[in-house]
Structure formats: C-alpha cells, structure tokens
Amino acid sequence: MGDFANFNGGKNDSGSAKDDFMKEATAAAARYNGRNENELVGEIFARAAEGKKKGTLTNAEIDAFYKQISPMLDGAKRKKLQKIVERLKSM
C-alpha cells in the first residue's frame, strides 16, 4: 500500500482478497513500527493531501480504507480514525 490510491479495499482479481489485504496490512505495519500516533497521523494526512491534490484519491477510496481498517480497531481508535476520515474527505 504505497498510497491510498493503491489500497485495493481488500479486492483483487485472483479471489484471495483476504490474503492480499493481510499482506498489505503487515507490510504497512512493518514500515511504521516504532512510530508514535502523531507521526502516523501526519503521514496519513500528507499522503492523502498529495493524493487529493493530484486527483488520485477519492472520498470513495478513503471510505474503502476506513471500512477495511476499522474492524481491527477498538472503539476509541475507531472513533479517532473516523474523525481523521472526516477531515481527509473535507480536504
């Protein structure tokens, strides 16, 4: 998942959507291991702003990202992510 535009929302042509999503999630987690929450949120906003500016990120893609990630989070983190999504979509 190099950027939001490459996030496939858990879908692919080969039928192994869950496996591909888990590979993407594991790779992303490894890249951000050791960073604090502020660094992660900053990176999300930077990538989203770039994608929106280039026209390569849509609100539908942001929603797909949220739909895939939110079930893995507890209530408090899910609420934080929802606020981030709202801010990203308003950019």
Side-chain angles (χ1 to χ4, degrees):
M1 185 175 102
D3 58 30
F4 284 94
N6 290 329
F7 181 74
N8 67 17
K11 300 175 187 169
N12 68 20
D13 295 331
S14 69
S16 60
K18 185 176 180 182
D19 291 340
D20 286 350
F21 175 75
M22 290 307 295
K23 286 178 186 175
E24 289 178 28
T26 301
R31 278 194 307 274
Y32 298 110
N33 189 29
R35 292 190 179 183
N36 66 39
E37 184 176 323
N38 289 335
E39 291 172 320
L40 294 174
V41 171
E43 180 72 18
I44 289 170
F45 276 106
R47 287 181 181 221
E50 182 178 338
K52 284 244 174 168
K53 183 178 179 181
K54 290 180 179 178
T56 59
L57 177 64
T58 67
N59 287 348
E61 290 168 320
I62 293 170
D63 287 336
F65 177 79
Y66 176 80
K67 186 176 179 180
Q68 289 295 128
I69 299 298
S70 64
M72 294 182 258
L73 304 174
D74 63 33
K77 289 180 182 173
R78 190 175 303 117
K79 195 170 191 173
K80 280 184 181 182
L81 181 59
Q82 180 61 42
K83 287 181 181 180
I84 291 168
V85 164
E86 290 170 6
R87 286 182 59 196
L88 292 174
K89 288 170 61 174
S90 70
M91 295 177 108

